[in-house]
Coordinates of all heavy atoms in Angstrom, one line a residue:
F154 N 0.8 -1.2 0.0 CA 0.0 0.0 0.0 C 0.9 1.3 0.0 O 0.5 2.3 -0.6 CB -0.9 0.0 1.2 CG -2.1 -0.9 1.1 CD1 -2.4 -1.9 2.0 CD2 -3.0 -0.8 -0.1 CE1 -3.5 -2.7 1.9 CE2 -4.0 -1.6 -0.2 CZ -4.3 -2.6 0.7
K155 N 2.0 1.2 0.6 CA 2.9 2.4 0.8 C 3.7 2.6 -0.5 O 3.9 3.7 -1.0 CB 3.8 2.3 2.0 CG 3.0 2.3 3.3 CD 4.0 2.1 4.5 CE 3.2 2.2 5.8 NZ 4.1 1.9 7.0
T156 N 4.4 1.5 -0.9 CA 5.4 1.7 -2.0 C 5.0 1.0 -3.3 O 5.7 1.1 -4.3 CB 6.7 1.1 -1.5 OG1 6.6 -0.3 -1.3 CG2 7.2 1.7 -0.3
G157 N 3.9 0.3 -3.3 CA 3.5 -0.4 -4.5 C 3.8 -1.9 -4.6 O 3.3 -2.6 -5.3
E158 N 4.8 -2.3 -3.7 CA 5.1 -3.7 -3.6 C 5.7 -4.0 -2.3 O 6.3 -3.1 -1.6 CB 6.1 -4.2 -4.7 CG 7.4 -3.4 -4.7 CD 8.3 -3.9 -5.8 OE1 8.0 -4.8 -6.6 OE2 9.5 -3.4 -5.9
G159 N 5.7 -5.3 -1.9 CA 6.3 -5.7 -0.6 C 6.6 -7.2 -0.6 O 5.9 -7.9 -1.3
E160 N 7.6 -7.6 0.1 CA 8.0 -9.0 0.1 C 8.5 -9.4 1.5 O 9.1 -8.5 2.2 CB 9.0 -9.3 -1.0 CG 10.3 -8.6 -0.8 CD 11.3 -8.9 -2.0 OE1 10.9 -9.8 -2.8 OE2 12.4 -8.4 -2.0
I161 N 8.3 -10.6 1.8 CA 8.8 -11.1 3.1 C 8.9 -12.6 3.1 O 8.2 -13.3 2.2 CB 7.8 -10.6 4.3 CG1 8.5 -10.8 5.6 CG2 6.5 -11.4 4.2 CD1 7.7 -10.2 6.8
A162 N 9.7 -13.2 4.0 CA 9.8 -14.7 4.1 C 9.4 -15.0 5.6 O 10.0 -14.4 6.5 CB 11.2 -15.2 3.7
R163 N 8.5 -16.0 5.8 CA 8.1 -16.4 7.1 C 8.2 -17.9 7.2 O 8.0 -18.6 6.3 CB 6.7 -15.9 7.4 CG 6.6 -14.5 7.7 CD 5.2 -14.2 8.3 NE 4.1 -14.3 7.4 CZ 3.7 -13.2 6.7 NH1 4.2 -12.0 6.8 NH2 2.7 -13.4 5.8
H164 N 8.6 -18.3 8.5 CA 8.6 -19.7 8.7 C 7.2 -20.3 8.8 O 6.3 -19.8 9.4 CB 9.3 -20.0 10.1 CG 10.8 -19.8 10.0 ND1 11.7 -20.7 9.3 CD2 11.6 -18.8 10.5 CE1 12.9 -20.3 9.4 NE2 12.9 -19.1 10.1
S165 N 7.1 -21.4 8.1 CA 5.8 -22.1 8.1 C 5.7 -23.1 9.2 O 6.7 -23.5 9.8 CB 5.6 -22.8 6.7 OG 4.5 -23.6 6.7
D166 N 4.5 -23.5 9.5 CA 4.3 -24.6 10.5 C 4.9 -25.9 10.0 O 5.2 -26.8 10.7 CB 2.8 -24.8 10.8 CG 2.3 -23.6 11.5 OD1 3.1 -22.8 12.1 OD2 1.1 -23.3 11.4
T167 N 5.1 -26.0 8.7 CA 5.6 -27.2 8.1 C 7.1 -27.3 8.4 O 7.8 -26.3 8.3 CB 5.5 -27.2 6.6 OG1 4.1 -27.0 6.2 CG2 5.9 -28.5 6.0
F168 N 7.6 -28.4 8.8 CA 9.0 -28.6 9.3 C 9.9 -28.4 8.1 O 9.8 -28.9 7.0 CB 9.1 -30.0 9.8 CG 10.5 -30.3 10.4 CD1 11.0 -29.6 11.5 CD2 11.4 -31.2 9.8 CE1 12.2 -29.8 12.0 CE2 12.6 -31.4 10.3 CZ 13.1 -30.7 11.4
N169 N 11.0 -27.6 8.4 CA 12.0 -27.3 7.5 C 11.5 -26.6 6.2 O 12.0 -26.9 5.1 CB 12.8 -28.5 7.1 CG 13.7 -29.0 8.2 OD1 14.1 -28.2 9.0 ND2 14.0 -30.3 8.3
M170 N 10.5 -25.8 6.3 CA 9.9 -25.1 5.2 C 9.8 -23.6 5.5 O 9.4 -23.2 6.6 CB 8.6 -25.6 4.7 CG 8.6 -27.1 4.3 SD 9.5 -27.3 2.8 CE 8.4 -26.7 1.6
D171 N 10.1 -22.7 4.5 CA 9.9 -21.3 4.6 C 8.8 -20.9 3.6 O 8.7 -21.5 2.5 CB 11.2 -20.5 4.4 CG 12.1 -20.6 5.5 OD1 11.7 -20.8 6.7 OD2 13.3 -20.3 5.3
T172 N 8.0 -19.8 3.9 CA 7.0 -19.3 3.0 C 7.4 -17.9 2.5 O 7.7 -17.1 3.4 CB 5.6 -19.3 3.6 OG1 5.3 -20.6 4.1 CG2 4.6 -18.8 2.6
Y173 N 7.5 -17.7 1.2 CA 7.9 -16.5 0.6 C 6.7 -15.8 0.1 O 5.9 -16.4 -0.6 CB 9.0 -16.7 -0.5 CG 10.3 -17.2 0.0 CD1 10.4 -18.6 0.2 CD2 11.3 -16.4 0.4 CE1 11.6 -19.2 0.6 CE2 12.5 -16.9 0.8 CZ 12.7 -18.3 0.9 OH 13.9 -18.8 1.4
Y174 N 6.5 -14.5 0.4 CA 5.4 -13.7 0.0 C 5.8 -12.5 -0.8 O 6.8 -11.9 -0.5 CB 4.6 -13.2 1.2 CG 4.0 -14.2 2.1 CD1 4.7 -14.7 3.2 CD2 2.7 -14.7 1.9 CE1 4.1 -15.7 4.0 CE2 2.2 -15.7 2.7 CZ 2.9 -16.2 3.7 OH 2.3 -17.1 4.5
Y175 N 5.0 -12.2 -1.9 CA 5.3 -11.0 -2.7 C 3.9 -10.4 -3.0 O 3.0 -11.0 -3.5 CB 6.0 -11.3 -4.0 CG 6.2 -10.1 -4.9 CD1 7.2 -9.2 -4.6 CD2 5.3 -9.8 -5.9 CE1 7.4 -8.0 -5.4 CE2 5.5 -8.6 -6.7 CZ 6.5 -7.8 -6.4 OH 6.7 -6.6 -7.1
A176 N 3.8 -9.1 -2.6 CA 2.5 -8.4 -2.7 C 2.7 -7.2 -3.7 O 3.7 -6.5 -3.6 CB 2.1 -7.8 -1.3
L177 N 1.7 -7.1 -4.6 CA 1.7 -6.0 -5.6 C 0.5 -5.2 -5.6 O -0.6 -5.8 -5.6 CB 1.9 -6.7 -7.0 CG 2.1 -5.8 -8.2 CD1 3.4 -5.0 -8.1 CD2 2.1 -6.6 -9.5
L178 N 0.6 -3.9 -5.6 CA -0.6 -3.0 -5.6 C -1.1 -2.9 -7.0 O -0.4 -2.5 -7.9 CB -0.1 -1.6 -5.0 CG -1.2 -0.6 -4.9 CD1 -2.3 -1.0 -3.9 CD2 -0.7 0.8 -4.6
L179 N -2.4 -3.2 -7.1 CA -3.1 -3.1 -8.4 C -3.7 -1.7 -8.6 O -3.7 -0.9 -7.7 CB -4.2 -4.1 -8.5 CG -3.8 -5.6 -8.3 CD1 -5.0 -6.5 -8.4 CD2 -2.7 -6.0 -9.3
D180 N -4.0 -1.4 -9.9 CA -4.5 -0.1 -10.2 C -5.8 0.3 -9.5 O -6.1 1.5 -9.3 CB -4.7 0.0 -11.7 CG -3.4 -0.1 -12.5 OD1 -2.3 0.2 -11.9 OD2 -3.4 -0.4 -13.7
N181 N -6.6 -0.7 -9.2 CA -7.9 -0.5 -8.5 C -7.8 -0.3 -7.0 O -8.8 -0.3 -6.3 CB -8.9 -1.6 -8.8 CG -8.3 -3.0 -8.5 OD1 -7.4 -3.1 -7.7 ND2 -9.0 -4.0 -9.0
G182 N -6.5 -0.3 -6.5 CA -6.3 -0.1 -5.0 C -6.3 -1.4 -4.2 O -6.0 -1.3 -3.0
T183 N -6.5 -2.5 -4.9 CA -6.4 -3.8 -4.1 C -4.9 -4.3 -4.3 O -4.1 -3.8 -5.0 CB -7.3 -4.8 -4.7 OG1 -7.0 -5.0 -6.1 CG2 -8.8 -4.3 -4.6
V184 N -4.7 -5.3 -3.5 CA -3.3 -5.9 -3.5 C -3.4 -7.4 -3.9 O -4.2 -8.1 -3.3 CB -2.7 -5.8 -2.1 CG1 -1.3 -6.6 -2.0 CG2 -2.4 -4.3 -1.7
L185 N -2.6 -7.7 -4.8 CA -2.4 -9.1 -5.2 C -1.2 -9.7 -4.6 O -0.1 -9.2 -4.7 CB -2.3 -9.2 -6.7 CG -2.1 -10.6 -7.3 CD1 -3.3 -11.5 -7.0 CD2 -1.8 -10.5 -8.8

């Protein structure tokens, strides 16, 4: 919402797995 994109990596509940997230601001104000 602030810069148009954002990313982060979080530990998942699954053993030895990480979850990577990438968020992108769309033209209609929503985030994908």
Side-chain angles (χ1 to χ4, degrees):
F154 283 127
K155 291 178 182 178
T156 63
E158 62 179 357
E160 61 181 2
I161 195 172
R163 283 195 287 268
H164 286 289
S165 173
D166 294 336
T167 307
F168 182 68
N169 286 335
M170 298 294 287
D171 285 339
T172 304
Y173 294 86
Y174 296 92
Y175 178 78
L177 182 65
L178 182 64
L179 302 180
D180 294 338
N181 56 16
T183 61
V184 172
L185 175 64

